[in-house]
Amino acid sequence: MKDLNKLNLSEALEGLKTGKFTSVDLTKSCLTTIKKHDKKIKAFVTVTGELALKQAEVADKEIEKEGAVIFERKSLLGIPYACKDNYSTKGVLTTASSNILNNYIPPYESTVTGRLKEAGAILLGKTNMDAFAHGSSTETSDFFPTRNPWNIKRMSGGSSGGSAAAVASGMCIFATGTETADSIRTPASWCGVAGLKPSYGRVSRYGVIAMASSTDSPGIITKTVEDAAFVLKVIAGKDVNDATTSSVPVPDYLSKEFTLKGLRIGKPRSYFKLEMEEGVRKRIDEALKILKDLGAEIIDMDLLDPKYSIAVYTIIQRSEVSSNLARYDGIRYGNDRGSFGFEARKRIMLGSYSLNATLSGAYQKAQRVRTLIIEDFNKAFEEVDLLVAPTLPCVAMKLGGGEKSSMFGELMAVLSEPSAIAGITGISIPCGLSEGLPVGIQFIGKMYDEDMILNVAKKFQNETEFHRLKPKL
């Protein structure tokens, strides 16, 4: 079979189970696509081709020996994936796209990549990102920006831009990402794929290079909603190495009996009052009509203006960045702090200033406002089952656009930041094109209610073909 790299996860698993192709075939197809197209897209920092093929050979032997029954124990056996470069991968270069870690090889495995490895997934390599995840475009990467597969003159989004571009261009079957404000949903929207940000504590942060510890959320970028639900089941759950992980049971996320009839979907007025490209607004309005036709009730409602989240996030994120990056003193990792890029230095300085006692507790004040935002969401979820909004007010911007604003990341994240600050879950999926570029719609759910947003998003995808649209490479 040709173009195995274009398969989604469920299709790839079915092919492996039935013997239509091997894991080596699937892995080679992905690696061939990386070799052919990544010179212009630049999704990867490191490609582990030789290691991936060895793992694929082992997977094929296991499948040959035990047959399809082995997938009951190893649900991702033989599936090649890409990993954002802020996950610690034992024995594999892990840079967080920063020069300060350009020679760092972790001696241990993150919980997420460890669980994927136990499930049989095959690591293709590590993807580019904004250095230390500081950004929404990958333009703050110390190595190079990742280009959007739909138009290489456009941004892929960030900070998980390398992962989103890799999935959109068929370089892998799925990818990991992380989100602190919008770092999964923004690149997913701009690259036309599904991006799931789980609730804070649903997925372990152990082994993920910290940015803002109180909002960092490991997540997934996939070709379909169904794939996202499948991978989440593997990586979610309590972890003894991360005290912030929740002991709430991990459910089977998708239900065959789920219906949108009678479902109450909140449409926050403040989110739709923001300046938005006309093409984006049209696609979102069309998507809302589809949801109505499926039986959902769209309820206009009041929610705190998302602009307040920008101020709260800026103070909290910078403060926690200055604390987390203090560990990079050159003793453990080889490069001194002069190796930090401009964006990291800027955030360290602002964070240190915010934590200064003379500011009368700016960090504490931001946390109090954060509590108000959480309470506002809790109140909203008493009236509705979930919320809907555009993921971004625009399609992918031209490369270089982020350099025009020192607050570019925060401005792009305005529609995702509130839910990220509150620690609740959200997913972005494609809902059409504008100017030939993908538009994303997001569903936001309450804490640990991933099954709600996944089921709604899956129903939407069942009725549309937007997730099947692919860039012409």
Side-chain angles (χ1 to χ4, degrees), residues 133-149:
H134 300 169
S136 295
S137 65
T138 72
E139 290 185 305
T140 70
S141 168
D142 285 351
F143 307 142
F144 43 75
T146 296
R147 299 172 181 271
N148 194 311

Side-chain angles (χ1 to χ4, degrees), residues 403-420:
E403 300 172 359
K404 298 177 182 178
S405 171
S406 60
M407 297 291 288
F408 174 77
E410 284 66 30
L411 294 173
M412 287 298 102
V414 64
L415 294 169
S416 300
E417 267 178 355
S419 55

Side-chain angles (χ1 to χ4, degrees), residues 102-352:
N102 63 12
N103 57 1
Y104 174 57
I105 298 177
Y108 71 106
E109 196 81 30
S110 75
T111 294
V112 168
T113 55
R115 287 179 176 177
L116 291 173
K117 193 172 185 178
E118 288 174 4
I122 294 169
L123 178 65
L124 290 169
K126 309 296 288 292
T127 55
N128 189 40
M129 54 187 281
D130 291 285
F132 287 107
H134 300 169
S136 295
S137 65
T138 72
E139 290 185 305
T140 70
S141 168
D142 285 351
F143 307 142
F144 43 75
T146 296
R147 299 172 181 271
N148 194 311
W150 290 83
N151 184 333
I152 60 172
K153 295 181 180 180
R154 302 271 180 160
M155 299 177 185
S156 64
S159 61
S160 308
S163 289
V167 173
S169 57
M171 295 181 187
C172 58
I173 303 302
F174 72 92
T176 64
T178 60
E179 181 167 307
T180 305
D182 69 319
S183 290
I184 288 175
R185 284 174 281 182
T186 284
S189 176
W190 279 356
C191 291
V193 291
L196 174 65
K197 182 265 181 198
S199 304
Y200 182 80
R202 179 75 289 185
V203 179
S204 175
R205 293 181 294 115
Y206 178 74
V208 177
I209 295 171
M211 204 248 272
S213 302
S214 69
T215 60
D216 286 350
S217 296
I220 314 144
I221 296 174
T222 58
K223 297 171 184 176
T224 69
V225 173
E226 184 178 2
D227 292 354
F230 193 97
V231 179
L232 181 62
K233 177 77 173 177
V234 174
I235 65 174
K238 185 67 178 176
D239 178 20
V240 295
N241 292 316
D242 181 358
T244 64
T245 50
S246 172
S247 56
V248 173
V250 178
D252 289 324
Y253 285 106
L254 296 179
S255 169
K256 293 180 180 179
E257 290 76 34
F258 190 86
T259 177
L260 267 62
K261 291 182 180 179
L263 201 71
R264 300 165 301 164
I265 300 180
K267 178 185 174 185
R269 293 185 181 93
S270 57
Y271 285 47
F272 283 80
K273 286 181 180 177
L274 292 173
E275 185 177 345
M276 198 181 306
E277 289 180 356
E278 187 60 30
V280 172
R281 191 175 293 277
K282 285 182 178 179
R283 298 295 87 78
I284 298 298
D285 287 343
E286 291 164 359
L288 292 176
K289 184 179 184 304
I290 292 171
L291 294 170
K292 287 181 182 178
D293 292 342
L294 289 171
E297 181 183 2
I298 308 298
I299 301 172
D300 290 307
M301 63 187 306
D302 293 321
L303 205 63
L304 279 175
D305 193 314
K307 69 181 181 182
Y308 296 115
S309 297
I310 294 178
V312 171
Y313 174 79
T314 299
I315 293 171
I316 291 175
Q317 191 267 352
R318 268 51 169 186
S319 297
E320 295 182 10
V321 160
S322 70
S323 175
N324 280 321
L325 295 189
R327 72 194 68 181
Y328 297 101
D329 51 15
I331 296 174
R332 295 181 182 86
Y333 303 99
N335 295 318
D336 63 31
R337 304 193 82 204
S339 299
F340 278 126
F342 173 72
E343 185 67 25
R345 296 187 193 188
K346 185 174 66 176
R347 295 191 184 208
I348 291 169
M349 291 174 67
L350 183 54
S352 299

Side-chain angles (χ1 to χ4, degrees), residues 33 51 60 96 170 331 344 369 439 455:
T33 305
L51 175 63
D60 285 334
I331 296 174
V369 178
V439 174
N455 275 290

